[in-house]
Amino acid sequence: MKLKYLISGVALLSLCLSSCSDQMDYKEYKIDGIDYIKRDFDKVGKITTHIYRALDYDHGQMYGGAMLSSATDESVYSHQGNAIESYYNGSWSATNANSSIWGTCWDAISYCNLYLDEFLGLEFPDHKLEKGYQDEMIKYRNYQWEVRFMRAYYYLLLVRQYGGVPLITRSMNADEANAQPRVSADEIFDFIDSECVAIKDSIIKNYSGAYNSIENESGRVNQLGVLALRARAALYHASPLFSKEKDDAAKKELWRQAALRNKEVLDTCSRDGMRLAKEYKVLFGTDNWSNAESIKEIIFARRVAADRKIEERNFPIGMNGGNGGNCPTENLVSAYEMTNGLPIDDPNSGYDPQNPYAGRDSRLAATVAVNGEKWPTTLPTDALETWYGGANSRSVTYGTPTGYYLKKYLNGEQKISGTGTTTTNHTWILFRLGQVYLDYAEALLNYTGSGYDKPEDFALSAADAINKVRARAGQPDLPAGLNFSDFEKRYENERFVELAFEGHRMFDVRRWMKAPQYFVNVKVMEITKNGDTFNFKPVENPSYITRRAWAGDHQYLWPIPQSEVLKSGALTQNPGW
């Protein structure tokens, strides 16, 4: 762990630069101390800004363009040999630990601890006579709750990947921090829960109108975000990966608590006027942070500076500047039902294998670009040619190996090359209401053993919650009378479809401990053209993609970077690594 007591970056936030003369190549630097920072609203606020900047998002920036989805059955990255393949090609190890989250989270936690140790109880006397002082103080006094939330959130990122980790809640120098042993995953989950309880009634409930003379805040966590974090942590804690060693009664109680925590989020959303957006695709548009519909559903999100990188990485080969990128699998595409609610492998569904995208769940068109579709709008031809030999197919270097391209989160009107290139805002959703409905359904299903039971404390059954999400997509209710196993299968499919490319699949399948069921066999759609007709043929594990291997249950958790284990003396490695 690279934990520091007085972090130089905090001082650098107030770095001053001056030049002695225009002629002399001489620069004098002044780094202000912690007491100077404490005198100024803005400088203290920049510490919290730095903490927010560590929030996770996945535009392919961690693996040279590949998203974590391409380490799962969601997608295949079109550039073979990319580092993302280490998750399944046998090269993943403690010395090749895929550990960016480890370093990012510990850095952020160290800033959180520094802030909570050094920057509480300030009065900023130099500013007392300024207009807006009282509003600034409201904002400042809320920072401590935001920072405690962020610390708890980063601990959730750590525990879901590594299990138990050191629990450090005060500033330490590097030697002291590196001497801290791991605590159990249970203790980390209990810490997250207790922090959320301590924060939820103190943090600002709604930033709209919270201040009088300064702008409202968008992108800062509020009470609902705290409740959503508590609910997600409870769901993970109850999941088989983290509860497998408990007895049945303890497991059932964890599921009950997860259901209650998610119910609390649903109830609070109702109180605050939150609801599902009317249209699925608006949740992922470039204006989702301000769109009147999407902001009704999005609970907390990570704002990303305006750019075009996610488009450059994922626009089709065959258009200038497109790199192919993270191409959805046939596994995912096959998960989208017909509009009549039947899976495509049901003989009564009406699915036509040679017209495979007709009559399908509307979320498919919002997520995946298919052969014959014009995507993006700047494509130089009228339609994607993902058939073998086509301009956008795998016959072209870095063309789609699956027959599909990604649409979700991408701006189809982005110009990525030539003159007049554009950039747009992107917002990565961390918590949203649709996801909470599904989390609630999972917890209640496992607590009651039925998709249809409604215990006294719960107004919705698991089926009721799932059906709310399905209704937004125009899909009919789940059928009645499914047994536990069949209902669980339909739930997992619904989650795959609804939350595709939102960063959940990598961790959902792991916490369910179902990797061999889902991650090993990857399907693609091979398309051939004969005159004006196409032939569509799903193929499993073709030779032109790297075969997925699952080395064993130890891969449900990440290895702790071996360099951290060696320099610590207190850290123990996860079993199997």
Side-chain angles (χ1 to χ4, degrees), residues 218 277 279-298 301-304 306 311 409-414 423-429:
S218 62
E279 215 179 343
Y280 179 75
K281 68 180 181 180
V282 303
L283 290 166
F284 314 103
T286 57
D287 67 342
N288 64 351
W289 60 277
S290 61
N291 179 279
E293 277 298 308
S294 59
I295 62 174
K296 290 292 185 182
E297 179 168 346
I298 296 173
R302 204 268 199 208
R303 298 275 294 278
V304 181
E311 286 82 14
Y409 270 126
L410 275 62
N411 177 8
E413 298 180 358
Q414 192 88 275
T423 62
T424 48
N425 294 315
H426 297 85
T427 302
W428 181 259
I429 298 172

mmCIF file of all heavy atoms in Angstrom, residues 218 277 279-298 301-304 306 311 409-414 423-429:
data_model
loop_
_atom_site.group_PDB
_atom_site.id
_atom_site.type_symbol
_atom_site.label_atom_id
_atom_site.label_comp_id
_atom_site.label_asym_id
_atom_site.label_seq_id
_atom_site.Cartn_x
_atom_site.Cartn_y
_atom_site.Cartn_z
ATOM 1 N N SER A 218 -23.800 19.204 -8.944
ATOM 2 C CA SER A 218 -24.173 17.945 -9.586
ATOM 3 C C SER A 218 -22.928 17.069 -9.570
ATOM 4 O O SER A 218 -21.822 17.553 -9.737
ATOM 5 C CB SER A 218 -24.647 18.172 -11.029
ATOM 6 O OG SER A 218 -23.618 18.722 -11.805
ATOM 7 N N ALA A 277 -36.474 6.021 -15.740
ATOM 8 C CA ALA A 277 -36.597 6.842 -16.939
ATOM 9 C C ALA A 277 -37.537 6.152 -17.923
ATOM 10 O O ALA A 277 -37.599 4.923 -17.989
ATOM 11 C CB ALA A 277 -35.224 7.046 -17.583
ATOM 12 N N GLU A 279 -37.378 5.981 -21.087
ATOM 13 C CA GLU A 279 -36.680 5.351 -22.196
ATOM 14 C C GLU A 279 -35.302 4.879 -21.733
ATOM 15 O O GLU A 279 -34.534 5.643 -21.142
ATOM 16 C CB GLU A 279 -36.517 6.353 -23.351
ATOM 17 C CG GLU A 279 -36.600 5.731 -24.700
ATOM 18 C CD GLU A 279 -36.452 6.760 -25.819
ATOM 19 O OE1 GLU A 279 -36.612 7.960 -25.552
ATOM 20 O OE2 GLU A 279 -36.158 6.340 -26.947
ATOM 21 N N TYR A 280 -34.997 3.624 -21.981
ATOM 22 C CA TYR A 280 -33.748 3.014 -21.535
ATOM 23 C C TYR A 280 -32.527 3.756 -22.070
ATOM 24 O O TYR A 280 -31.592 4.063 -21.320
ATOM 25 C CB TYR A 280 -33.738 1.560 -21.994
ATOM 26 C CG TYR A 280 -32.517 0.742 -21.644
ATOM 27 C CD1 TYR A 280 -32.303 0.278 -20.355
ATOM 28 C CD2 TYR A 280 -31.596 0.388 -22.635
ATOM 29 C CE1 TYR A 280 -31.200 -0.506 -20.045
ATOM 30 C CE2 TYR A 280 -30.495 -0.405 -22.340
ATOM 31 C CZ TYR A 280 -30.300 -0.839 -21.044
ATOM 32 O OH TYR A 280 -29.205 -1.622 -20.746
ATOM 33 N N LYS A 281 -32.527 4.073 -23.360
ATOM 34 C CA LYS A 281 -31.308 4.591 -23.976
ATOM 35 C C LYS A 281 -30.915 5.974 -23.487
ATOM 36 O O LYS A 281 -29.738 6.345 -23.571
ATOM 37 C CB LYS A 281 -31.433 4.584 -25.505
ATOM 38 C CG LYS A 281 -32.447 5.555 -26.072
ATOM 39 C CD LYS A 281 -32.455 5.447 -27.601
ATOM 40 C CE LYS A 281 -33.444 6.429 -28.219
ATOM 41 N NZ LYS A 281 -33.458 6.318 -29.703
ATOM 42 N N VAL A 282 -31.861 6.763 -22.937
ATOM 43 C CA VAL A 282 -31.482 8.106 -22.478
ATOM 44 C C VAL A 282 -30.561 8.042 -21.268
ATOM 45 O O VAL A 282 -29.858 9.001 -20.972
ATOM 46 C CB VAL A 282 -32.714 8.978 -22.148
ATOM 47 C CG1 VAL A 282 -33.639 9.100 -23.329
ATOM 48 C CG2 VAL A 282 -33.463 8.453 -20.923
ATOM 49 N N LEU A 283 -30.547 6.900 -20.572
ATOM 50 C CA LEU A 283 -29.670 6.760 -19.414
ATOM 51 C C LEU A 283 -28.199 6.829 -19.792
ATOM 52 O O LEU A 283 -27.356 7.151 -18.953
ATOM 53 C CB LEU A 283 -29.931 5.425 -18.711
ATOM 54 C CG LEU A 283 -31.265 5.282 -17.979
ATOM 55 C CD1 LEU A 283 -31.520 3.828 -17.628
ATOM 56 C CD2 LEU A 283 -31.280 6.154 -16.737
ATOM 57 N N PHE A 284 -27.877 6.562 -21.042
ATOM 58 C CA PHE A 284 -26.480 6.429 -21.452
ATOM 59 C C PHE A 284 -26.082 7.464 -22.496
ATOM 60 O O PHE A 284 -25.013 7.365 -23.096
ATOM 61 C CB PHE A 284 -26.240 5.003 -21.966
ATOM 62 C CG PHE A 284 -26.852 3.981 -21.045
ATOM 63 C CD1 PHE A 284 -28.044 3.347 -21.376
ATOM 64 C CD2 PHE A 284 -26.279 3.715 -19.813
ATOM 65 C CE1 PHE A 284 -28.635 2.440 -20.515
ATOM 66 C CE2 PHE A 284 -26.864 2.808 -18.939
ATOM 67 C CZ PHE A 284 -28.050 2.175 -19.289
ATOM 68 N N GLY A 285 -26.938 8.456 -22.692
ATOM 69 C CA GLY A 285 -26.620 9.523 -23.624
ATOM 70 C C GLY A 285 -25.623 10.506 -23.029
ATOM 71 O O GLY A 285 -25.362 10.527 -21.821
ATOM 72 N N THR A 286 -25.088 11.354 -23.880
ATOM 73 C CA THR A 286 -24.069 12.297 -23.417
ATOM 74 C C THR A 286 -24.642 13.372 -22.497
ATOM 75 O O THR A 286 -23.891 14.043 -21.794
ATOM 76 C CB THR A 286 -23.388 12.972 -24.623
ATOM 77 O OG1 THR A 286 -24.391 13.631 -25.425
ATOM 78 C CG2 THR A 286 -22.661 11.946 -25.469
ATOM 79 N N ASP A 287 -25.972 13.526 -22.484
ATOM 80 C CA ASP A 287 -26.591 14.507 -21.595
ATOM 81 C C ASP A 287 -27.285 13.839 -20.417
ATOM 82 O O ASP A 287 -28.145 14.449 -19.772
ATOM 83 C CB ASP A 287 -27.595 15.374 -22.365
ATOM 84 C CG ASP A 287 -28.816 14.578 -22.840
ATOM 85 O OD1 ASP A 287 -28.724 13.320 -22.885
ATOM 86 O OD2 ASP A 287 -29.846 15.195 -23.162
ATOM 87 N N ASN A 288 -26.884 12.594 -20.099
ATOM 88 C CA ASN A 288 -27.619 11.879 -19.050
ATOM 89 C C ASN A 288 -27.482 12.525 -17.676
ATOM 90 O O ASN A 288 -28.298 12.297 -16.790
ATOM 91 C CB ASN A 288 -27.207 10.398 -18.993
ATOM 92 C CG ASN A 288 -25.756 10.188 -18.599
ATOM 93 O OD1 ASN A 288 -24.970 11.130 -18.512
ATOM 94 N ND2 ASN A 288 -25.389 8.935 -18.383
ATOM 95 N N TRP A 289 -26.472 13.354 -17.495
ATOM 96 C CA TRP A 289 -26.286 14.018 -16.203
ATOM 97 C C TRP A 289 -27.269 15.177 -16.017
ATOM 98 O O TRP A 289 -27.472 15.649 -14.895
ATOM 99 C CB TRP A 289 -24.861 14.548 -16.097
ATOM 100 C CG TRP A 289 -24.509 15.542 -17.159
ATOM 101 C CD1 TRP A 289 -24.088 15.271 -18.426
ATOM 102 C CD2 TRP A 289 -24.567 16.961 -17.056
ATOM 103 N NE1 TRP A 289 -23.878 16.430 -19.135
ATOM 104 C CE2 TRP A 289 -24.165 17.483 -18.300
ATOM 105 C CE3 TRP A 289 -24.914 17.843 -16.039
ATOM 106 C CZ2 TRP A 289 -24.106 18.851 -18.547
ATOM 107 C CZ3 TRP A 289 -24.848 19.205 -16.298
ATOM 108 C CH2 TRP A 289 -24.448 19.694 -17.539
ATOM 109 N N SER A 290 -27.927 15.598 -17.110
ATOM 110 C CA SER A 290 -28.855 16.722 -17.016
ATOM 111 C C SER A 290 -30.212 16.447 -17.650
ATOM 112 O O SER A 290 -31.157 17.213 -17.447
ATOM 113 C CB SER A 290 -28.248 17.960 -17.689
ATOM 114 O OG SER A 290 -27.991 17.714 -19.069
ATOM 115 N N ASN A 291 -30.331 15.352 -18.402
ATOM 116 C CA ASN A 291 -31.584 15.017 -19.068
ATOM 117 C C ASN A 291 -32.695 14.828 -18.041
ATOM 118 O O ASN A 291 -32.525 14.134 -17.037
ATOM 119 C CB ASN A 291 -31.385 13.739 -19.889
ATOM 120 C CG ASN A 291 -32.639 13.302 -20.609
ATOM 121 O OD1 ASN A 291 -33.502 12.679 -20.019
ATOM 122 N ND2 ASN A 291 -32.727 13.626 -21.886
ATOM 123 N N ALA A 292 -33.851 15.436 -18.292
ATOM 124 C CA ALA A 292 -34.946 15.425 -17.316
ATOM 125 C C ALA A 292 -35.435 14.023 -16.998
ATOM 126 O O ALA A 292 -35.932 13.769 -15.893
ATOM 127 C CB ALA A 292 -36.116 16.276 -17.830
ATOM 128 N N GLU A 293 -35.302 13.107 -17.937
ATOM 129 C CA GLU A 293 -35.726 11.732 -17.700
ATOM 130 C C GLU A 293 -34.650 10.929 -16.959
ATOM 131 O O GLU A 293 -34.931 10.256 -15.979
ATOM 132 C CB GLU A 293 -36.062 11.041 -19.021
ATOM 133 C CG GLU A 293 -37.462 11.327 -19.514
ATOM 134 C CD GLU A 293 -38.530 10.818 -18.548
ATOM 135 O OE1 GLU A 293 -38.490 9.638 -18.161
ATOM 136 O OE2 GLU A 293 -39.404 11.613 -18.166
ATOM 137 N N SER A 294 -33.414 10.986 -17.448
ATOM 138 C CA SER A 294 -32.374 10.138 -16.859
ATOM 139 C C SER A 294 -32.064 10.518 -15.416
ATOM 140 O O SER A 294 -31.771 9.648 -14.592
ATOM 141 C CB SER A 294 -31.096 10.187 -17.700
ATOM 142 O OG SER A 294 -30.608 11.514 -17.808
ATOM 143 N N ILE A 295 -32.147 11.820 -15.089
ATOM 144 C CA ILE A 295 -31.817 12.217 -13.715
ATOM 145 C C ILE A 295 -32.872 11.759 -12.715
ATOM 146 O O ILE A 295 -32.638 11.797 -11.506
ATOM 147 C CB ILE A 295 -31.589 13.742 -13.591
ATOM 148 C CG1 ILE A 295 -32.854 14.521 -13.958
ATOM 149 C CG2 ILE A 295 -30.405 14.170 -14.426
ATOM 150 C CD1 ILE A 295 -32.715 16.020 -13.719
ATOM 151 N N LYS A 296 -34.014 11.304 -13.198
ATOM 152 C CA LYS A 296 -35.009 10.712 -12.309
ATOM 153 C C LYS A 296 -34.592 9.321 -11.843
ATOM 154 O O LYS A 296 -35.089 8.827 -10.832
ATOM 155 C CB LYS A 296 -36.369 10.630 -13.004
ATOM 156 C CG LYS A 296 -37.053 11.965 -13.240
ATOM 157 C CD LYS A 296 -37.488 12.592 -11.927
ATOM 158 C CE LYS A 296 -38.283 13.855 -12.157
ATOM 159 N NZ LYS A 296 -38.672 14.485 -10.863
ATOM 160 N N GLU A 297 -33.695 8.690 -12.605
ATOM 161 C CA GLU A 297 -33.281 7.324 -12.284
ATOM 162 C C GLU A 297 -31.860 7.233 -11.749
ATOM 163 O O GLU A 297 -31.567 6.379 -10.907
ATOM 164 C CB GLU A 297 -33.411 6.428 -13.519
ATOM 165 C CG GLU A 297 -32.960 4.999 -13.246
ATOM 166 C CD GLU A 297 -33.333 4.030 -14.350
ATOM 167 O OE1 GLU A 297 -34.159 4.385 -15.218
ATOM 168 O OE2 GLU A 297 -32.808 2.903 -14.344
ATOM 169 N N ILE A 298 -30.967 8.076 -12.225
ATOM 170 C CA ILE A 298 -29.560 7.976 -11.832
ATOM 171 C C ILE A 298 -29.386 8.491 -10.406
ATOM 172 O O ILE A 298 -29.711 9.642 -10.104
ATOM 173 C CB ILE A 298 -28.658 8.759 -12.807
ATOM 174 C CG1 ILE A 298 -28.740 8.139 -14.204
ATOM 175 C CG2 ILE A 298 -27.212 8.754 -12.314
ATOM 176 C CD1 ILE A 298 -28.021 8.926 -15.274
ATOM 177 N N ALA A 301 -23.306 9.081 -10.130
ATOM 178 C CA ALA A 301 -22.542 8.775 -11.332
ATOM 179 C C ALA A 301 -21.214 9.502 -11.307
ATOM 180 O O ALA A 301 -21.029 10.488 -10.596
ATOM 181 C CB ALA A 301 -23.331 9.159 -12.585
ATOM 182 N N ARG A 302 -20.298 9.015 -12.092
ATOM 183 C CA ARG A 302 -18.962 9.589 -12.206
ATOM 184 C C ARG A 302 -18.878 10.393 -13.495
ATOM 185 O O ARG A 302 -19.007 9.848 -14.593
ATOM 186 C CB ARG A 302 -17.924 8.466 -12.228
ATOM 187 C CG ARG A 302 -16.534 8.881 -11.771
ATOM 188 C CD ARG A 302 -15.649 9.327 -12.876
ATOM 189 N NE ARG A 302 -14.247 9.282 -12.444
ATOM 190 C CZ ARG A 302 -13.299 10.057 -12.934
ATOM 191 N NH1 ARG A 302 -13.571 10.936 -13.885
ATOM 192 N NH2 ARG A 302 -12.056 9.968 -12.497
ATOM 193 N N ARG A 303 -18.691 11.693 -13.364
ATOM 194 C CA ARG A 303 -18.567 12.553 -14.543
ATOM 195 C C ARG A 303 -17.153 12.425 -15.113
ATOM 196 O O ARG A 303 -16.160 12.474 -14.393
ATOM 197 C CB ARG A 303 -18.852 14.001 -14.150
ATOM 198 C CG ARG A 303 -20.253 14.251 -13.612
ATOM 199 C CD ARG A 303 -21.265 14.481 -14.702
ATOM 200 N NE ARG A 303 -21.012 15.702 -15.438
ATOM 201 C CZ ARG A 303 -21.393 16.919 -15.039
ATOM 202 N NH1 ARG A 303 -22.057 17.053 -13.891
ATOM 203 N NH2 ARG A 303 -21.143 17.976 -15.763
ATOM 204 N N VAL A 304 -17.071 12.256 -16.431
ATOM 205 C CA VAL A 304 -15.796 12.142 -17.121
ATOM 206 C C VAL A 304 -15.633 13.369 -18.010
ATOM 207 O O VAL A 304 -16.592 13.809 -18.650
ATOM 208 C CB VAL A 304 -15.744 10.859 -17.975
ATOM 209 C CG1 VAL A 304 -14.396 10.723 -18.671
ATOM 210 C CG2 VAL A 304 -16.013 9.627 -17.102
ATOM 211 N N ALA A 306 -15.010 15.916 -20.954
ATOM 212 C CA ALA A 306 -15.418 15.791 -22.357
ATOM 213 C C ALA A 306 -14.254 15.278 -23.201
ATOM 214 O O ALA A 306 -13.146 15.809 -23.158
ATOM 215 C CB ALA A 306 -15.900 17.144 -22.876
ATOM 216 N N GLU A 311 -15.396 6.577 -28.053
ATOM 217 C CA GLU A 311 -15.844 6.403 -29.447
ATOM 218 C C GLU A 311 -14.676 5.938 -30.322
ATOM 219 O O GLU A 311 -14.841 5.023 -31.140
ATOM 220 C CB GLU A 311 -16.433 7.696 -29.988
ATOM 221 C CG GLU A 311 -17.813 8.043 -29.443
ATOM 222 C CD GLU A 311 -17.797 8.724 -28.081
ATOM 223 O OE1 GLU A 311 -16.701 9.178 -27.667
ATOM 224 O OE2 GLU A 311 -18.853 8.803 -27.443
ATOM 225 N N TYR A 409 -23.432 3.779 -24.340
ATOM 226 C CA TYR A 409 -22.536 4.812 -23.813
ATOM 227 C C TYR A 409 -21.805 5.601 -24.902
ATOM 228 O O TYR A 409 -21.115 6.578 -24.611
ATOM 229 C CB TYR A 409 -21.501 4.234 -22.841
ATOM 230 C CG TYR A 409 -21.941 4.204 -21.396
ATOM 231 C CD1 TYR A 409 -21.900 3.027 -20.665
ATOM 232 C CD2 TYR A 409 -22.389 5.348 -20.757
ATOM 233 C CE1 TYR A 409 -22.293 2.989 -19.332
ATOM 234 C CE2 TYR A 409 -22.783 5.319 -19.431
ATOM 235 C CZ TYR A 409 -22.734 4.149 -18.718
ATOM 236 O OH TYR A 409 -23.122 4.129 -17.404
ATOM 237 N N LEU A 410 -21.911 5.194 -26.165
ATOM 238 C CA LEU A 410 -21.209 5.898 -27.238
ATOM 239 C C LEU A 410 -22.119 6.938 -27.877
ATOM 240 O O LEU A 410 -23.328 6.734 -27.993
ATOM 241 C CB LEU A 410 -20.729 4.916 -28.306
ATOM 242 C CG LEU A 410 -19.379 4.225 -28.063
ATOM 243 C CD1 LEU A 410 -19.408 3.382 -26.807
ATOM 244 C CD2 LEU A 410 -18.993 3.367 -29.270
ATOM 245 N N ASN A 411 -21.526 8.033 -28.304
ATOM 246 C CA ASN A 411 -22.246 9.078 -29.021
ATOM 247 C C ASN A 411 -22.135 8.809 -30.513
ATOM 248 O O ASN A 411 -21.082 8.998 -31.114
ATOM 249 C CB ASN A 411 -21.653 10.446 -28.672
ATOM 250 C CG ASN A 411 -22.306 11.589 -29.431
ATOM 251 O OD1 ASN A 411 -23.305 11.396 -30.118
ATOM 252 N ND2 ASN A 411 -21.752 12.788 -29.319
ATOM 253 N N GLY A 412 -23.228 8.371 -31.121
ATOM 254 C CA GLY A 412 -23.217 8.006 -32.529
ATOM 255 C C GLY A 412 -22.978 9.162 -33.471
ATOM 256 O O GLY A 412 -22.710 8.958 -34.654
ATOM 257 N N GLU A 413 -23.052 10.392 -32.964
ATOM 258 C CA GLU A 413 -22.823 11.568 -33.806
ATOM 259 C C GLU A 413 -21.427 12.151 -33.620
ATOM 260 O O GLU A 413 -21.106 13.179 -34.221
ATOM 261 C CB GLU A 413 -23.879 12.632 -33.493
ATOM 262 C CG GLU A 413 -25.298 12.166 -33.804
ATOM 263 C CD GLU A 413 -26.345 13.229 -33.495
ATOM 264 O OE1 GLU A 413 -25.963 14.305 -33.004
ATOM 265 O OE2 GLU A 413 -27.530 12.970 -33.753
ATOM 266 N N GLN A 414 -20.613 11.493 -32.803
ATOM 267 C CA GLN A 414 -19.267 12.004 -32.550
ATOM 268 C C GLN A 414 -18.419 11.922 -33.804
ATOM 269 O O GLN A 414 -18.386 10.892 -34.487
ATOM 270 C CB GLN A 414 -18.610 11.165 -31.446
ATOM 271 C CG GLN A 414 -17.335 11.754 -30.879
ATOM 272 C CD GLN A 414 -17.650 12.701 -29.742
ATOM 273 O OE1 GLN A 414 -17.939 13.862 -29.968
ATOM 274 N NE2 GLN A 414 -17.606 12.195 -28.525
ATOM 275 N N THR A 423 -15.937 16.607 -29.232
ATOM 276 C CA THR A 423 -15.890 15.908 -27.954
ATOM 277 C C THR A 423 -17.222 16.125 -27.250
ATOM 278 O O THR A 423 -17.908 17.116 -27.494
ATOM 279 C CB THR A 423 -14.756 16.423 -27.048
ATOM 280 O OG1 THR A 423 -14.983 17.813 -26.748
ATOM 281 C CG2 THR A 423 -13.399 16.270 -27.716
ATOM 282 N N THR A 424 -17.567 15.188 -26.380
ATOM 283 C CA THR A 424 -18.797 15.335 -25.607
ATOM 284 C C THR A 424 -18.566 14.810 -24.194
ATOM 285 O O THR A 424 -17.627 14.066 -23.929
ATOM 286 C CB THR A 424 -19.977 14.556 -26.234
ATOM 287 O OG1 THR A 424 -19.549 13.222 -26.543
ATOM 288 C CG2 THR A 424 -20.476 15.230 -27.480
ATOM 289 N N ASN A 425 -19.462 15.216 -23.303
ATOM 290 C CA ASN A 425 -19.421 14.714 -21.932
ATOM 291 C C ASN A 425 -19.873 13.259 -21.894
ATOM 292 O O ASN A 425 -20.730 12.836 -22.670
ATOM 293 C CB ASN A 425 -20.351 15.539 -21.036
ATOM 294 C CG ASN A 425 -19.879 16.962 -20.874
ATOM 295 O OD1 ASN A 425 -18.702 17.209 -20.644
ATOM 296 N ND2 ASN A 425 -20.795 17.910 -20.999
ATOM 297 N N HIS A 426 -19.297 12.519 -20.978
ATOM 298 C CA HIS A 426 -19.724 11.147 -20.722
ATOM 299 C C HIS A 426 -19.861 10.972 -19.212
ATOM 300 O O HIS A 426 -19.062 11.510 -18.447
ATOM 301 C CB HIS A 426 -18.710 10.139 -21.257
ATOM 302 C CG HIS A 426 -18.529 10.191 -22.745
ATOM 303 N ND1 HIS A 426 -17.670 11.076 -23.363
ATOM 304 C CD2 HIS A 426 -19.097 9.468 -23.747
ATOM 305 C CE1 HIS A 426 -17.712 10.881 -24.675
ATOM 306 N NE2 HIS A 426 -18.577 9.919 -24.933
ATOM 307 N N THR A 427 -20.865 10.243 -18.803
ATOM 308 C CA THR A 427 -21.114 10.006 -17.387
ATOM 309 C C THR A 427 -21.265 8.517 -17.148
ATOM 310 O O THR A 427 -22.104 7.871 -17.779
ATOM 311 C CB THR A 427 -22.389 10.739 -16.923
ATOM 312 O OG1 THR A 427 -22.245 12.145 -17.181
ATOM 313 C CG2 THR A 427 -22.622 10.540 -15.439
ATOM 314 N N TRP A 428 -20.435 7.981 -16.278
ATOM 315 C CA TRP A 428 -20.464 6.555 -15.953
ATOM 316 C C TRP A 428 -21.363 6.351 -14.746
ATOM 317 O O TRP A 428 -21.116 6.896 -13.676
ATOM 318 C CB TRP A 428 -19.057 6.074 -15.654
ATOM 319 C CG TRP A 428 -18.935 4.613 -15.337
ATOM 320 C CD1 TRP A 428 -18.816 4.050 -14.100
ATOM 321 C CD2 TRP A 428 -18.901 3.538 -16.275
ATOM 322 N NE1 TRP A 428 -18.719 2.690 -14.200
ATOM 323 C CE2 TRP A 428 -18.761 2.345 -15.525
ATOM 324 C CE3 TRP A 428 -18.981 3.458 -17.667
ATOM 325 C CZ2 TRP A 428 -18.696 1.095 -16.137
ATOM 326 C CZ3 TRP A 428 -18.916 2.212 -18.260
ATOM 327 C CH2 TRP A 428 -18.767 1.054 -17.513
ATOM 328 N N ILE A 429 -22.403 5.562 -14.906
ATOM 329 C CA ILE A 429 -23.388 5.378 -13.850
ATOM 330 C C ILE A 429 -22.877 4.374 -12.813
ATOM 331 O O ILE A 429 -22.533 3.239 -13.155
ATOM 332 C CB ILE A 429 -24.732 4.898 -14.421
ATOM 333 C CG1 ILE A 429 -25.304 5.953 -15.378
ATOM 334 C CG2 ILE A 429 -25.723 4.602 -13.303
ATOM 335 C CD1 ILE A 429 -26.532 5.491 -16.146
#
